[in-house]
Each structure stands twice: as C-alpha cells, then as structure tokens.
Amino acid sequence: MTSHQSNFWNYYIFSKDHKMIAKQYLITGLIMALLGGLMAYVFRMQLAFPGEAVPGFGDVDSGTYNQLITLHGTIMVFWVGMPILLGAFGNFLIPLMIGADDMAFPTLNMMSYWTFFVSTLVLLASFFVEGGPASSGWTAYPPLSARPEYSGVMWGMNLWILAVALEFFSVLMGGVNYLTTTFNMRTKGMKFSRMPMFVWMQLAATVNFMFSVGPLIAGALMLLLDRTIGTSFFVPDKGGDPLLYQHLFWFFGHPEVYVLLLPSLGIVAEIIPTFSRKPLFGYKMILISTAFSSVLAFMVWAHHQFISGMDPRMAMPFGLLTIIISVPFAVVLFAYIATLWKGSITFTTPFLFAIAMIAEFLIGGVTGIINGAAAADIYVHDTYYVVSHFHFTLVPITIFGMLAGVYYWFPKFFGRMMNETLGKIHFWITAITFNVIFIPLLQMGMGGHQRRIPDPTEFEYLKGMMGMHKTATIALIILLIAQAFFIFNFFYSMYKGKKAEANPWKSTTLEWDAPSPPVAHGNFEVIPKVYRGPYEYSVPGCKQDWSPQSAETVN
Amino acid sequence: MSASTATNTVETEPMLAPHGRLGMWMFLASEVVVFGGLLASYIFARLRHSSWDEFASQTMTSIGCINTVLLLTSSLFIVLSHHWAERKDIKKSGKYMLWAILLGVLFLVFKGYEYQHEFAKGITPLTNLFWSYYFFITGLHALHIVIGLVINALTLREIRKGQNLQRVEVAGLYWHFVDVVWIFVFPLFYVAS
C-alpha cells in the first residue's frame, strides 16, 4: 500500500483507503441527491400546474409521474441516505474516531463501494430501457410490481430489483467491516464506554440493517422470479400472497428507518456538545434507549399495513408497540436538548443544521403518533399526511443530518474550512422552505387528499387545494435553488477555502488528533491513546474548556 | 496489506476474535435472516394449504437422506481439516479439505439428479406455489453450496501453499452454515408430508 499514492488508479479509483472510499460514497450520494431533488421538482410542477409542460423536462403523463415518484423515493432512501450516512460518514469516521489506521478489511471495503457503484449504474440504466424505469412506488408492492403487464414496465422494474439487491449486498459488506473494525481495532484505552456516540450509532444502525435485510433479499428474488419466469409467490392467481411481500418489505422497512436515523443522531450527538461546550447529557441513557428502540424496531412493521387486509386483530399489538417506540427516541431527543441547557453555544452552520434536525424530526415523530394508532391511521392512510409525516422524519435525518455532518467534518475531509456566511444563507433558506413545502401537505392529507394522483384537478373535491399545491411547489423550487449555495461552497472551499488546522472546532474526539486531512496511510502521525470519555468539555478546574480523549493531562 | 500488519504493531484494546472469524460470524448472522425469512414464509404458506402435504410426499426422501448424510460428513471433514491446520499439518489438512469438497460436489450431483427426475415428471417451479418454494429454497441453498465450494477450493490452494491457515476455520464456518440450512430444509420439504 506504500505505492498507492504514486498511481492515479490506485489512489482515486480502486482505493482501499477508507478516507478515499468515504469521499467516493459522498460524491456519488450527493450527485444522486441532486437527481432525486430534480425529480421532485418535475412531479411537484405537474401537481401544481397539471397538464402544463414542465420547464426543462416536458409533459408528464401519469406513467411518467409514477416512475418519477418511484425513483425519487428509491434514490433518496437507498442511494442518498445509506451511502452518505453509512458509506461516507461511517467509513470516514469509524477508524478515525476509534484510533485505527484503516478498516479491518480494506479490500472488502473497496469491493463494497464498487458494488454500490455498479448498483448505481444499473439503476440509472433502467431509465434508458424500453418502457422506462420502475413505476410501482418505492415499496414495489405486488401485484402491481409482480407482472409486467400491470404497470407496463418490464426491464425497468427488473433492473430496479437488481440494483436494490446489489446495493443491499454492498451495505452488507460495509456492515461486516464496520462491526469488525469497531470490535477489534479500538486503540489502547478506547473502551466501549469511551466510544463516541457516533460510533455507537453506526454500530446499532449496522446491526439493524444486517438483521432486517435478509427477508427482503429473499422477497426481492421471489419478486424477480414472479416477473421473469412466471412463478406466483406474490400473485393470487396460483395461490400466491401479495401480503407476504408487504410483510417481508416492512420487516426490513422499519429497521431501515433506523439504519438512517441512528447515524444521523450520531452526527448530531457529536456536533451539539462541541458547540455547547458541554458533555453530552445522559450518554448511558442514550445507549440504552438506542438498544431498546433497535429491538422494538423489529416488532412494529405491520403498522404500515393497517388497511392492507391483514388480520385486524394484529393492529392492536403493532399499534401499541409503535407508540411505545416513541419513548426511547423521546429520551434521546431530550438528552440532546438537555445538552444545550446552560451551554455556551456558538451558532455555526453545522450546529444550526444539527438543532434543526432535532426540531424537524420532532414534528416527524409527533405526526407519527397518529399513524401509529390504527383507528386514527385509517383516516389518513395513503394521503399526503403520510407523505408529509414521512418527509418530516426522513428529510431531517438524511438531508439536515447529512449537511450538518458535511459542514462539521469538511475540514477533516478536505483540509479546508467551508464558508460560514454561505453556509448560513443555505441553512435558513433550506430550513424555512422545507417547512413551507410540507406543512401544507399535512393539511392536504387531513383534508383527504390521496397521494399518487398525478392530476388533482380531475377531482372536484381536490380543486380547493390547488393553492397549497402551488405554495409547496414554489417553496421546493426555492429550496432546490438554495442548494446552489451549498454546491458552490463545497467545491470552492475544497480548493480555495481557509486552510483548516487539525482541530478547528476545539473538539475532543480522536479524529481531531489527526492532521486535516488525515495522513494518507495510517491516518495519524502517531496512533493516539485514550485516557478519558468522549465529551469532556468545560471540566471544572481546567483552563482549556475541552479535554481531548488523547490528552494524558489537561490543565 | 498494511492495515493488518499495522494492527500487529499498534496497541489496541483486546480483540473480540480474529478479524476473519468475527467478520464471518457477522455475515452469517445476516444470512440466517435471509433463510429464516424465507423458511418462515414457506411454513406460514404451508399451514394455510393442507393440500401441500400431497406435493411434499412427492419429493424424493431417499435422495434427501443421502444428501443430508453427505453434507454432515462433509462438515466433519472440514472440522478435521481445521484440526490439522491448527497443528500445521498441511498434508492432512489439505486431504480432508479435498474430501469435504468432493462430498459437496456429490451433493450437487444428487441434487441435479433429483431436479432432472422432477422435470421428467413434468414438475417445474411453475407447477404450483409449493413447487415454486421447493425449487427456490433448494436452489438458493444449492447456490450457497456452490459458493461454499469455491471458498473451500480457494482455501485448499492456500493450505497447499502452507499460508493463511486461519482461513480454514473461516471457510469451515460458512460450510457449517450451509449444512445447518439444509438441516432445516430437509425435514420441511422431505420429511413433513
């Protein structure tokens, strides 16, 4: 590996270095985020101005509309959330935070990224095959997805299944790496009780993923067989059961939310103490809550299926467990808020995104209580209320959490600081427009507006809601334009930003011991040893208000 | 690889287990869920369709039995291969690994014969849902056997070179897993009828 740097291919392309792989994941994920965002622009334009050609795209018929919403969901969850929150941040930070020189299996790590890259290509290829890409929604429910003649999409859907399967396999390889690295490669003194919350959260997310994805891998293969050779696993005509697919999907689908949520909460857990100059409140309680919610995550999946035709008696236990699961997350969020209490807070861009993540996710959580109770859910099921609830959870998780992480660790990634002014403009426009998009959607859902209707003007009772559709769409356009501030800031700062010192935020965890950017091979000049917990800020009796984990003594 | 050599020189907290063993266990944990979900789906479907008993009685129990014995014996050989690999006896280790591979191949031969026989009777994955499950689950298991054989063959090459002997244990873990899956598949498809 010493000859690595000498060769372009080995250094940039087939790199086994966790930092380069993290950057590959980050860039791929950001490009996909842009793609997913532009899709939202197209179908939101169709909803606000139905029948008019969308500038830059053209006419949207109902088939295209279905394809756009399907691919928007698929891309944002599997090709943005997972590669960035797990692939980029997990890869970059786990070894740095535990004081390791690389992952346990560098070659497997490289294979993981390239499997992901192939899966991206397969997904993108599905746009160009006859019939276009998948159009059965991001959950791909049969029978719609199980027979090509039902949706009119043949190869697009097959490629979708293949791409998702490859992506899962890639994350599985990554997961083996994350767990082994965390268990085996912690530097001297980095006991489990001293591990930064981010690493714990990655660990929990990986475990959630690895124990939930199996049934869906099997289900995806069965769906593929239904479509290609004509078996009937999920098609009722020969005794198949469409509901079974929903069970397999949501058994994975609910833990999947935590696969995204936990890394994001991990990012926030690092940022809040740093900018409050206070220890993270309730470290152990957060861990216990995370473990508790991870177990519960496997017992709540049928709350997605209250009106699917499953045994209605199941609604009671699943509803109850769903409501219980809000308890541990409330504990975590309260712990974060308590960390702020009497802190000496600096409102930097990463900090703003971090607290916005908490605030907006709280709305997501509270709106979810209504979905969790079967009786209330039946009324709002399949309406924009659910769409809005979902986005109030997933946008704070993936977008706000990710942006907080990018602004915070950018100096470590690229050795330069991002511009604060541009960052703050970006934050305020993003945070405000995000609410302007989704609060009307909550209201529309309560008004009975079903989702997946390409042209709302076809229905008399929806015509009164067109004003809200237009508001949401205009807000989305502003939100997308505001991302230009981020994109410019990102690339400008990468080359022209202020040079970053090793520890620009005066933080305590080990990644700030490494130079910015870290040493190409081995991360640290000398692998540090650990003497204390991860969040020792403002320790009484010390002049310096942060006590790095690696410092033997602090004055 | 510098990472693995570096970890030998850098002081770390105690490892849970060697990287390879730990990684394989993690991977197998997720594999358990793949087959777990699949077999659970099959069991629930079977409970709903009493007519499936008749189809299940058409599976070739004798060949199922032979294959069970083959896989169990093969697992025994891989244990012996690991036993001698730990004592650095690469000759004996290689010999037993070879036997483990041969029995695995034999399993596939019998499985192929069985499929052939079923196709000849006009039974295909499209016949009905029971046979869809049968072909899918046994087929997925057979795929795992093939992957296991490739892993074992690569490990055998390492044994003959006398290097990376710790991989025998890791390959063995995977091979045992494939065996254990069969232990569930066999009664569910061949015996219960």
Side-chain angles (χ1 to χ4, degrees), chain A residues 111-144:
Chain A
M111 280 160 61
S112 163
Y113 174 74
W114 285 102
T115 309
F116 171 72
F117 187 75
V118 171
S119 82
T120 313
L121 292 185
V122 172
L123 188 79
L124 294 177
S126 78
F127 284 84
F128 301 104
V129 293
E130 207 187 325
S135 67
S136 316
W138 79 280
T139 52
Y141 277 5
L144 184 59

Side-chain angles (χ1 to χ4, degrees), chain B residues 127-140:
Chain B
T127 306
N128 60 37
L129 193 57
F130 173 82
W131 292 108
S132 298
Y133 270 113
Y134 165 81
F135 279 104
F136 180 51
I137 291 177
T138 55
L140 192 66

Side-chain angles (χ1 to χ4, degrees), chain A residues 91-390:
Chain A
N91 251 316
F92 190 76
L93 291 169
I94 291 175
L96 280 169
M97 280 184 164
I98 62 172
D101 56 351
D102 204 325
M103 284 283 183
F105 307 107
T107 313
L108 190 70
N109 208 9
M110 175 187 77
M111 280 160 61
S112 163
Y113 174 74
W114 285 102
T115 309
F116 171 72
F117 187 75
V118 171
S119 82
T120 313
L121 292 185
V122 172
L123 188 79
L124 294 177
S126 78
F127 284 84
F128 301 104
V129 293
E130 207 187 325
S135 67
S136 316
W138 79 280
T139 52
Y141 277 5
L144 184 59
S145 60
R147 290 277 188 262
E149 54 271 28
Y150 294 166
S151 63
V153 176
M154 177 64 197
W155 278 101
M157 186 71 211
N158 294 351
L159 289 176
W160 183 93
I161 298 173
L162 185 65
V164 171
L166 281 171
E167 205 262 355
F168 289 165
F169 192 53
S170 147
V171 182
L172 214 57
M173 289 194 264
V176 168
N177 233 333
Y178 293 6
L179 293 177
T180 311
T181 307
T182 315
F183 286 138
N184 273 358
M185 294 175 71
R186 283 164 294 117
T187 183
K188 198 80 195 157
M190 181 58 86
K191 304 190 178 89
F192 280 113
S193 58
R194 287 174 176 172
M195 245 167 34
M197 195 48 74
F198 177 85
V199 180
W200 273 114
M201 291 292 187
Q202 288 281 335
L203 207 62
T206 309
V207 171
N208 266 301
F209 180 81
M210 293 179 71
F211 282 102
S212 66
V213 76
L216 185 59
I217 291 180
L221 289 173
M222 285 149 86
L223 189 62
L224 197 61
L225 289 176
D226 275 7
R227 294 182 58 81
T228 49
I229 70 168
T231 53
S232 302
F233 288 111
F234 303 128
V235 191
D237 58 5
K238 279 186 203 146
D241 183 5
L243 205 53
L244 171 64
Y245 177 86
Q246 294 192 21
H247 285 299
L248 297 178
F249 185 89
W250 288 115
F251 181 77
F252 161 74
H254 199 85
E256 165 69 11
V257 177
Y258 299 151
V259 173
L260 301 174
L261 169 62
L262 297 177
S264 193
L265 286 176
I267 290 171
V268 173
E270 298 305 318
I271 293 174
I272 286 186
T274 303
F275 294 110
S276 312
R277 316 311 289 166
K278 267 190 66 195
L280 185 66
F281 186 88
Y283 179 90
K284 265 192 191 148
M285 217 46 225
I286 293 174
L287 281 184
I288 293 167
S289 302
T290 306
F292 184 51
S293 59
S294 297
V295 173
L296 279 179
F298 289 83
M299 304 177 194
V300 298
W301 78 89
H303 66 211
H304 296 269
Q305 301 166 244
F306 285 147
I307 64 155
S308 68
M310 68 170 190
D311 192 331
R313 283 170 299 182
M314 275 158 68
M316 184 55 148
F318 277 107
L320 204 64
L321 287 163
T322 303
I323 309 259
I324 292 174
I325 212 169
S326 51
V327 176
F329 282 117
V331 170
V332 173
L333 293 192
F334 280 130
Y336 288 2
I337 294 167
T339 308
L340 299 169
W341 181 253
K342 291 186 175 175
S344 107
I345 295 172
T346 353
F347 286 91
T348 56
T349 310
F351 179 77
L352 287 172
F353 271 107
I355 52 171
M357 187 269 167
I358 297 176
E360 303 289 357
F361 181 75
L362 209 61
I363 304 179
V366 171
T367 51
I369 305 271
I370 291 164
N371 295 325
D377 176 69
I378 289 167
Y379 179 71
V380 292
H381 189 92
D382 240 341
T383 67
Y384 272 98
Y385 182 87
V386 176
V387 175
S388 186
H389 155 70
F390 178 86

